[in-house]
Amino acid sequence: MTTPNVSFEFFPPKTLEASFKLWETAKVLAPLAPDFVSVTYGAGGTTRKLTHEAVTTINRQFGLQVAAHLTCVEATRAETMEIVQSYADAGITQIVALRGDAPKGADRFTPHDDGFANSVELIEAIAARGDMTIRCGAYPEPHPDSADGDADVTWLKRKIEAGATSAITQFFFEPETFFRFRDKCVAAGIDAPIIPGLLPVQSWAGTKRFAATCNTTVPDWAEEAFQLAALDGPDAQRALATDLSVELCEKLIAGGVDQLHFYTLNRPELTRDVCAALGVRPKAGLEAVA
């Protein structure tokens, strides 16, 4: 089996304890030499400053390529582009450009009167600078705001044409979900890399809640498997989560996938174990810079 390239997603800490978890996560996973790591951006821009601090610190302390998430939510065009400039000033050259979710309490995304209407407009503006690598989101199952899966393919094509050079998918449970989406994208003329996004199950209840918010189908077999594992305790659940993640990754690799993106939830052990099973192991000299 070919050893894949990997990348990891972190989220910015809101407390001192969470800060320690993030730095420990980066410390554990940095030696795996990821292609890049990304840092998320809270709904409504609620973690804007925290995201900036996390991105610049990870870049400085661990020497990793960091892709900063950026959304269109509740900000003017000028404010959003000022954030891009602040990243450029800090030596950050990658952005994950997203429309973003509706602010807390709102039913749906509504553009700021002076803001970007969608991710395509955001990508076009960043691409016009000529100094950023732009990644975007992709949805193997219909986005909650999409009419159907074909609409998601159309939007992805527009994002690539606007200047995004690769896409990272929402998480999914079955390889066929990704392969069907990839086939539709190829048929639509999309030739940019589409990187599968993977969520190793840290908590089955939490994973199901997340799946419900982003329209990810939870297969019956997964529900039954985790219910049975729960009868045998946390170790059995962890073993099941590891085995299922490894199996999914192996099937993706067998189907031609050469890069995997892990949503770590700032808890590195399960992702590290899955990577080890895939042949991705630590490399010397990639520890944090003092």
Side-chain angles (χ1 to χ4, degrees), residues 13 18-28 53-54 57-58 62:
S19 293
F20 288 130
K21 287 184 178 180
L22 172 58
W23 308 135
E24 180 61 24
T25 299
K27 183 179 179 181
V28 169
E53 291 174 351
T57 302
I58 291 170
F62 296 93

Side-chain angles (χ1 to χ4, degrees), residues 15-290:
T15 66
L16 181 60
E17 180 183 3
S19 293
F20 288 130
K21 287 184 178 180
L22 172 58
W23 308 135
E24 180 61 24
T25 299
K27 183 179 179 181
V28 169
L29 296 178
L32 300 183
D35 278 5
F36 67 95
V37 300
S38 65
V39 180
T40 63
Y41 198 75
T46 51
T47 64
R48 184 176 300 153
K49 183 179 179 182
L50 296 173
T51 297
H52 191 280
E53 291 174 351
V55 166
T56 54
T57 302
I58 291 170
N59 176 255
R60 182 175 65 250
Q61 293 294 110
F62 296 93
L64 298 173
Q65 287 289 329
V66 187
H69 285 218
L70 185 63
T71 74
C72 309
V73 181
E74 294 197 326
T76 67
R77 289 172 177 256
E79 289 169 340
T80 302
M81 296 311 293
E82 284 173 8
I83 295 169
V84 177
Q85 184 60 51
S86 71
Y87 283 125
D89 292 342
I92 303 301
T93 60
Q94 297 197 37
I95 296 285
V96 180
L98 306 163
R99 187 201 71 180
D101 297 325
K104 189 173 182 179
D107 293 333
R108 60 174 55 234
F109 170 82
T110 302
H112 189 288
D113 289 344
D114 297 318
F116 294 107
N118 51 54
S119 57
V120 172
E121 289 188 2
L122 175 60
I123 290 167
E124 286 175 339
I126 300 172
R129 293 171 51 96
D131 61 351
M132 288 285 174
T133 296
I134 307 168
R135 305 180 189 275
C136 65
Y139 302 90
E141 298 178 273
H143 185 281
D145 292 345
S146 292
D148 53 42
D150 290 339
D152 290 302
V153 173
T154 299
W155 271 103
L156 178 56
K157 186 172 184 180
R158 289 184 63 191
K159 288 185 279 191
I160 298 300
E161 291 172 346
T165 56
S166 66
I168 304 168
T169 77
Q170 184 56 271
F171 84 102
F172 51 90
F173 285 95
E174 298 178 311
E176 294 79 14
T177 302
F178 175 80
F179 292 137
R180 283 193 295 267
F181 178 70
R182 186 182 64 178
D183 290 346
K184 286 184 177 180
C185 290
V186 170
I190 298 171
D191 57 5
I194 301 174
I195 305 168
L198 305 164
L199 181 65
V201 176
Q202 308 281 357
S203 158
W204 181 236
T207 298
K208 288 193 293 181
R209 286 194 298 271
F210 188 23
T213 65
C214 58
N215 229 23
T216 294
T217 301
V218 178
D220 290 341
W221 60 260
E223 174 69 24
E224 294 169 4
F226 277 100
Q227 285 185 357
L228 287 173
L231 299 176
D232 294 324
D235 289 345
Q237 293 175 77
R238 177 183 170 83
L240 174 63
T242 303
D243 290 346
L244 290 180
S245 291
V246 171
E247 181 181 6
L248 174 58
C249 292
E250 288 177 341
K251 289 180 178 178
L252 291 170
I253 293 166
V257 169
D258 60 7
Q259 184 160 353
L260 304 168
H261 186 73
F262 291 90
Y263 300 117
T264 71
L265 304 182
N266 291 8
R267 297 171 66 182
E269 294 82 9
L270 187 52
T271 295
R272 177 200 59 201
D273 293 349
V274 172
C275 286
L278 300 174
V280 180
R281 295 187 170 84
K283 296 177 175 58
L286 292 179
E287 295 79 12
V289 179

